């Protein structure tokens, strides 16, 4: 038993990653668990953490979730299309087993916190983390805090102008051709008839993808003015996207944001994750640490 | 002489409003000054405030401005198209005359602060204020603080999908058909051949206008999740826009944000300014108060 560790849960739609580590993001132990029903998945999560005497646990969860501390359903997964998890009291399930502070936020907010604390935006009090994968999601650290308001952001579903040459109708069940509907991995596959990874050498695929991502980044920049933008997720493994996105963002803004980070050093402004695929799980450790410190105050 | 007052400057492209008042937003005296060159306008501003023994002055200025406290040009108006004001050290000009704390932010951030403190979003720690007038601008209070990052937001220039029936090309010199290019007062006038006020009874004008504003609000909501949205500026004097916008936001979101503020009580969520045309000048008083309290800490 070691009592200097935090627990972290990255709860995704296909798998849960659980880890035990410290506030430097050093991971001592971790496990992957398939996402099935809460009845099947959660006992495995709990068993894993039972091996440790933890100070706190941080959860970064798929959503939508309730992060409003004053709400009766605070800590719940809410209206998710994954029916077994709908209205699931995630935070309570952990608290009932471990009588320690629990931090709770979205998976992408956790990743943003990880990148801002220990990753590509380390030392900055502001960072936008975007994942382009099965869906598009984003989390933000603003003035040193995870962004929230009425609820957590849902940035993946913004509307963007369609490219005039793109005949694909879009894949979002709510909005059809929102950003996620046009640019997430499944949209790439549906438009071109192959998975992204098999299209690696098709220039037109990544030109169009960069166009849509750049349109979205332009909105995020104009609205949030983040100090750094971190792009992760499966689709961003296509590293040729980065220079295309850099150029398109500048073209779209057309000199409007006259800031050196944008006009001169955009390669250092829009970047891959510093923590690779560990942004979320690392962010969970930081969420745990923040929960621990808040309770101690 | 009375030493319990704050000064406030609302610096706009056509006029400056200067006021003296208290932290409750009660205004004791005010003046309007035409915006000419700094050499002509600023001495009148200074003369006005010389009549009072003020605790602090708050400035809400047209932009772009530098609000980065660590920057050598902090407190400057920067790359404005209004050439006499380009690279103008606004804050220093006031500080050189009055040795008191000075708060400095954008006109729309000041208005957002006014509405969040004493107006339509009073009591909330989050508010988005948007003006639709000669341009489109927005400011936001997020988790109790004015939103800033790399710089202040420039939300008026986001890209939105064009309405399929709208043949008007757009008026923004940077982006042509961004939000401001499609929906600000001058775009309405250019598209329909008459000023907005003369088009009051043309249903199709306000249907289209509401469509574009709703598209923009959807992005702001998904990205920032504000607790209330306040819509001001000349164009929003057309009060018939509000119910049209309410409906269109719900239609566009299509149930995606499953939050009662949006699905049930949207009339209380997207609202006119509580302070009428005084949001900006009131916000300047609050900026002054915050500057005063920060210095005293
Ligand atoms: N190397 C790759 N190149 C292009 N697309 C990829 C690559 N790896 C994964 N993807 C796509 O990304 C999506 C999966 O995203 P990922 O971030 O891995 O998982 P998730 O979003 O489910 O957490 C799939 O649509 C897949 O086709
Ligand atoms: N009652 C009104 N109805 C429609 N449009 C209006 C009305 N009043 C002003 N406008 C339009 O709003 C713009 C001016 O916006 P305003 O907010 O008054 O000033 P500014 O943005 O310059 O501070 C003009 O384009 C004008 O035509
Ligand atoms: Zn969508
Ligand atoms: Zn523009």
């Amino acid at each position: 038993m070691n009592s200097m560790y935090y627990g972290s849960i990255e709860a995704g739609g296909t798998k849960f990653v659980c880890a035990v580590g410290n506030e430097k993001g050093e991971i001592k132990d971790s496990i992957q668990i398939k996402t099935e029903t809460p009845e099947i998945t959660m006992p495995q999560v709990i068993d894993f953490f039972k091996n440790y005497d933890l100070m706190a646990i941080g959860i970064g969860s798929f959503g939508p979730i309730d992060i409003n501390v004053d709400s009766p359903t605070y800590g719940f997964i809410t209206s998710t299309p994954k029916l077994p998890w709908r209205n699931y009291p995630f935070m309570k399930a952990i608290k009932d087993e471990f009588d320690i502070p629990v931090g709770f936020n979205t998976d992408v907010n956790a990743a943003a916190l990880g990148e801002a604390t220990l990753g590509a935006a380390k030392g900055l009090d502001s960072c936008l983390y975007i994942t382009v994968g099965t869906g598009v999601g984003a989390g933000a650290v603003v003035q040193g805090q995870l962004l929230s308001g009425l609820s957590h952001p849902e940035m993946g579903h913004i509307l963007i102008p369609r490219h005039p040459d793109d005949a694909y109708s879009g894949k979002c069940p709510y909005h059809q051709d929102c950003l996620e509907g046009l640019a997430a991995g499944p949209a790439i596959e549906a438009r071109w008839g192959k998975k992204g990874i098999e299209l690696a050498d098709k220039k037109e695929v990544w030109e169009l993808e960069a166009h849509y991502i750049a349109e979205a980044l332009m909105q995020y920049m104009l609205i949030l003015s983040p100090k750094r933008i971190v792009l992760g997720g499966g689709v961003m493994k296509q590293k040729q996207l980065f220079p295309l996105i850099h150029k398109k963002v500048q073209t779209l803004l057309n000199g409007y944001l006259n800031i050196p980070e944008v006009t001169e050093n955009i390669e250092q402004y829009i970047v891959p994750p510093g923590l690779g695929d560990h942004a979320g799980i690392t962010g969970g450790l930081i969420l745990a640490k923040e929960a621990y410190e808040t309770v101690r105050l």
Side-chain angles (χ1 to χ4, degrees), chain A residues 227-271:
Chain A
K227 293 191 181 166
R228 192 157 292 157
I229 297 178
V230 180
L231 287 175
V235 172
M236 295 309 303
K237 302 264 152 111
Q238 298 295 328
K239 290 290 178 248
Q240 72 268 35
L241 280 169
F242 282 90
L244 296 174
I245 291 168
H246 294 148
K247 221 171 130 231
K248 280 184 193 278
V249 165
Q250 288 177 331
T251 306
L252 286 170
L253 283 169
N254 193 20
Y256 188 70
L257 289 185
N258 196 1
I259 303 171
E261 282 83 347
V262 180
T263 53
E264 291 164 31
N265 305 315
I266 196 160
E267 299 79 14
Q268 280 98 274
Y269 181 65
I270 299 170
V271 299

Side-chain angles (χ1 to χ4, degrees), chain A residues 11 28 86 108 152 225 262:
Chain A
K28 181 191 164 63
R86 190 172 282 187
V108 279
H152 52 80
S225 196
V262 180

Side-chain angles (χ1 to χ4, degrees), chain A residues 2-273:
Chain A
N2 184 318
S3 60
M4 298 307 291
Y5 286 103
Y6 295 111
S8 170
I9 305 174
E10 186 183 13
T14 52
K15 66 174 193 282
F16 275 48
V17 183
C18 301
V20 165
N22 65 17
E23 64 184 72
K24 291 185 211 151
E26 293 159 350
I27 288 173
K28 181 191 164 63
D29 191 6
S30 75
I31 189 176
Q32 292 202 6
I33 299 163
K34 198 160 170 266
T35 308
E36 311 211 44
T37 64
E39 291 68 32
I40 298 172
T41 304
M42 291 302 290
Q44 301 175 62
V45 171
I46 287 159
D47 278 355
F48 170 73
F49 287 122
K50 283 230 164 124
N51 299 316
Y52 296 91
D53 183 15
L54 301 170
M55 294 192 288
I57 293 176
I59 304 169
S61 176
F62 70 89
I65 62 175
D66 187 344
I67 59 169
N68 175 359
V69 185
D70 301 324
S71 159
T73 54
Y74 173 53
F76 282 48
I77 297 180
T78 59
S79 56
T80 173
K82 286 177 216 303
L83 295 181
W85 295 89
R86 190 172 282 187
N87 301 320
Y88 178 66
F90 199 159
M91 210 171 159
K92 182 172 181 306
I94 297 295
K95 277 231 172 235
D96 282 352
E97 293 290 335
F98 305 97
D99 188 23
I100 54 178
V102 176
F104 186 69
N105 221 305
T106 61
D107 44 6
V108 279
N109 260 347
L113 186 61
E115 288 292 330
T117 314
L118 296 164
K122 190 172 161 176
L124 301 178
D125 67 353
S126 152
C127 157
L128 178 65
Y129 175 88
I130 303 157
T131 175
V132 188
T134 306
V136 178
V141 173
V142 171
Q143 283 144 310
Q145 280 191 290
L146 281 174
L147 177 61
S148 79
L150 200 55
S151 174
H152 52 80
E154 289 281 4
M155 303 194 203
H157 292 267
I158 61 167
L159 300 179
I160 47 173
R162 297 182 63 97
H163 193 288
D165 301 339
D166 181 18
Y168 176 58
S169 59
K171 217 181 159 48
C172 175
Y174 292 91
H175 319 109
Q176 194 156 345
D177 59 357
C178 68
L179 171 63
E180 178 169 309
L182 290 172
I188 297 175
E189 191 176 340
R191 180 187 291 110
W192 304 97
K194 284 183 190 170
K195 282 193 187 303
I197 197 161
E198 300 164 49
L199 295 160
D201 56 356
K202 288 256 176 278
K203 207 166 161 287
E204 63 274 28
V205 171
W206 309 110
E207 282 283 344
L208 183 66
E209 184 68 12
H211 177 82
Y212 285 136
I213 295 174
E215 285 192 333
L217 296 194
M218 174 173 171
Q219 332 288 32
Y220 302 147
M221 288 164 70
L222 292 168
I223 294 172
L224 277 177
S225 196
K227 293 191 181 166
R228 192 157 292 157
I229 297 178
V230 180
L231 287 175
V235 172
M236 295 309 303
K237 302 264 152 111
Q238 298 295 328
K239 290 290 178 248
Q240 72 268 35
L241 280 169
F242 282 90
L244 296 174
I245 291 168
H246 294 148
K247 221 171 130 231
K248 280 184 193 278
V249 165
Q250 288 177 331
T251 306
L252 286 170
L253 283 169
N254 193 20
Y256 188 70
L257 289 185
N258 196 1
I259 303 171
E261 282 83 347
V262 180
T263 53
E264 291 164 31
N265 305 315
I266 196 160
E267 299 79 14
Q268 280 98 274
Y269 181 65
I270 299 170
V271 299

